[in-house]
Amino acid sequence: MEVINDNNCSWINDLNSRTNIKVLTTHKNCDWLIIGAGYTGLSAARKLGQLYPNQNIILVDAQLAGEGASSRNSGYLVDTTLNDGFTSNKDLENYKKKADIYKLGIDAVKKFIKEHQVDCDWNECGKYFASSSIEDRNTLKNFSKTLSRLGFENNLLYKDQLIEKLGTSFYILALYTKGGILLHPGKLVRAMIDTLPYNVQLFENSSLLNWKKNNDAVLCNFRNGSINTKKIIFATNGYLKSLGIKKNYNFPITLTASMTRILTDEEFKSIGEPKEWGVLPVKPMGATIRMTKDRRILIRNTAEVHNPFKMSQSDLDKRSIKQRIGIKKRFPHLPDDIIKSSWSGIVSRTSNSSQIFEKIDDNIFVAGCYNGSGIGVGTLFGEQIAIKASNEHTKEIETIEARNKPTWLPPQPFLDLGIKTRLIYERIRARSEI
Ligand SMILES: Cc1cc2nc3c(=O)[nH]c(=O)nc-3n(C[C@H](O)[C@H](O)[C@H](O)COP(=O)(O)OP(=O)(O)OC[C@H]3O[C@@H](n4cnc5c(N)ncnc54)[C@H](O)[C@@H]3O)c2cc1C
């Protein structure tokens, strides 16, 4: 199956179209092959290009580079995420391990941006974990304790303060955390493409159809060509399972998001002219909603089991209606037809939320499964999997590998059934927050 994406994503449409797209049409041999050109694959390619200036490195994507989830996300570079807020001493240790990885992820993105002077609308404005329901107060108070114990600055805010900060009276309480960055994900990933080292060849619109180990090499067949490589890194995230990689440990989830047009001066005044902000839900299935630097509103309020290769326009339209309702609930005075674009994107999950970072066979490596933290963690994991594949060790790899490994998942049809049931349960729990 081939990845077919919609052309609607505002983050992508903000950018100039790329030229000089190369499609793989022949047979090639190389030292290194990376499959998937999102944050993970691009970072792996960048690192390998630096490490091996005289080796032959190829990076291939099924669609245009960076135009998968890496451009289609909400743009939160996170330092912390909320599970259920209730953290025992033992869990605190695990939470710290996760936060240590997030910190390294932020450092990796910061280093890239500084080195290449990237403008990606970087804003260290922190984020709000917000709720419209008083029953979430305990979760937020407990989360606040966890964060304080680990040294993350945070404070609880109530309705009046939130009206002023966010321009909506929808939320009645929120935990504001000072850390975390909002950015333009399309600009960031485009910069990673534009700055690929000279010795990395990029092929796009070239889907990997199958692969097999062939003595010391790996032979990969694409739609119109093939590549024989000494080492390979799989960086296809939500499509790992479809390529048979760690298939009992990860599964794809489809998300959809919408973005409004730029608010007029009058509309912006009517909501109190707030500064850029980002809200994450307290309950996992609630809406992520963001006011961008240029006064657009982004909302993401669906997550489901769906065919990861394609979402039809009519399916997308149905989800867009949910996003229109989500915006209306929070900003009732804004016009009904304010949404400019709606798009879908694929994330990858494991059952215990651990990421995948592994050598799966001689010369075969994989990194992925970051759920909603792939901007930083994907950038970090891409670099570090390239280093691991070079048989080197770093303290970053130590931190990454200190986390629990993903746990085994049941086979189909039990897996889909289990996930769907869980998502329905979470959707019901979060119904007021969508
Ligand atoms: C709506 C949405 C909101 C999100 N919000 C956030 C957020 O706010 N913050 C955050 O950190 N993360 C967020 N995420 C998650 C984040 O986008 C991902 O974790 C991140 O993009 C993963 O990067 P990646 O490079 O590993 O994978 P991807 O960006 O998915 O790249 C994988 C690439 O592999 C390619 N590929 C797949 N199959 C093949 C094949 N057979 N042959 C060749 N190439 C193939 C794909 O075309 C794709 O380009 C969100 C995701 C979505 C969809």
Side-chain angles (χ1 to χ4, degrees), residues 38-40 61-63 69-70 73-74 76 208 237 371-375:
Y39 302 122
T40 307
D61 202 289
Q63 49 187 320
S70 290
N73 62 65
S74 309
Y76 294 64
L208 173 66
N237 203 39
N371 192 21
S373 62
I375 300 177

Side-chain angles (χ1 to χ4, degrees), residues 154-429:
N154 68 89
N155 54 308
L156 266 174
L157 300 174
Y158 291 92
K159 188 166 182 168
D160 287 348
Q161 292 155 300
L162 293 170
I163 293 175
E164 199 182 304
K165 304 260 182 214
L166 310 177
T168 166
S169 56
F170 179 76
Y171 295 106
I172 61 165
L173 77 167
L175 189 71
Y176 172 71
T177 62
K178 193 163 174 247
I181 292 113
L182 292 179
L183 52 74
H184 188 305
K187 288 187 183 175
L188 176 63
V189 78
R190 176 61 66 85
M192 291 183 181
I193 299 165
D194 290 345
T195 58
L196 274 173
Y198 69 92
N199 55 330
V200 173
Q201 290 182 74
L202 172 63
F203 293 103
E204 301 168 79
N205 293 328
S206 305
S207 210
L208 173 66
L209 303 179
N210 55 61
W211 61 280
K212 69 167 188 248
K213 238 189 138 210
N214 209 357
N215 300 322
D216 283 348
V218 179
L219 177 64
C220 292
N221 290 310
F222 296 83
R223 199 187 327 147
N224 297 312
S226 56
I227 301 178
N228 205 45
T229 180
K230 291 183 185 157
K231 288 195 178 185
I232 187 165
I233 295 175
F234 286 100
T236 54
N237 203 39
Y239 302 91
L240 289 173
K241 198 180 173 77
S242 67
L243 290 168
I245 316 286
K246 300 284 296 174
K247 61 176 194 241
N248 294 323
Y249 294 87
N250 72 97
F251 57 90
I253 291 284
T254 301
L255 310 183
T256 57
S258 291
M259 180 105 86
T260 66
R261 57 167 169 72
I262 295 175
L263 302 191
T264 63
D265 286 352
E266 217 168 277
E267 286 162 352
F268 194 54
K269 267 195 197 125
S270 77
I271 62 168
E273 301 181 285
K275 291 200 180 109
E276 181 174 20
W277 52 257
V279 163
L280 291 168
V282 175
K283 298 199 174 81
M285 290 295 278
T288 298
I289 182 155
R290 181 179 159 183
M291 173 70 68
T292 66
K293 180 181 161 191
D294 62 358
R295 305 176 183 180
R296 291 181 288 182
I297 301 170
L298 173 141
I299 180 164
R300 200 267 324 138
N301 63 4
T302 72
E304 61 194 305
V305 177
H306 190 278
N307 171 7
F309 290 91
K310 185 177 176 15
M311 180 174 282
S312 69
Q313 190 56 47
S314 63
D315 278 351
L316 199 50
D317 290 345
K318 283 182 204 144
R319 279 126 187 113
S320 178
I321 291 171
K322 286 195 182 151
Q323 281 132 25
R324 194 171 72 203
I325 295 168
I327 291 180
K328 201 75 193 162
K329 276 205 243 176
R330 289 157 177 89
F331 300 100
H333 303 304
L334 294 181
D336 287 346
D337 60 353
I338 199 161
I339 287 182
K340 186 170 176 201
S341 66
S342 302
W343 64 89
S344 66
I346 312 300
V347 292
S348 177
R349 294 292 314 254
T350 54
S351 71
N352 58 352
S353 298
S354 285
Q355 300 100 355
I356 293 180
F357 180 87
E358 270 182 60
K359 172 179 179 171
I360 51 171
D361 201 339
D362 285 346
N363 305 327
I364 304 179
F365 297 82
V366 53
C369 297
Y370 322 109
N371 192 21
S373 62
I375 300 177
V377 183
T379 304
L380 170 74
F381 275 37
E383 287 175 9
Q384 297 299 322
I385 200 73
I387 296 172
K388 186 178 170 77
S390 307
N391 295 320
E392 299 290 334
H393 197 73
T394 59
K395 59 179 188 334
E396 286 85 352
I397 293 180
E398 214 165 284
T399 306
I400 292 168
E401 294 185 338
R403 264 205 99 185
N404 293 337
K405 292 262 175 290
T407 46
W408 188 83
L409 292 163
Q412 296 292 12
F414 306 105
L415 177 62
D416 272 4
L417 203 66
I419 303 168
K420 280 182 184 163
T421 312
R422 177 66 194 251
L423 290 178
I424 290 170
Y425 166 74
E426 293 291 356
R427 218 172 283 139
I428 293 169
R429 273 185 72 214

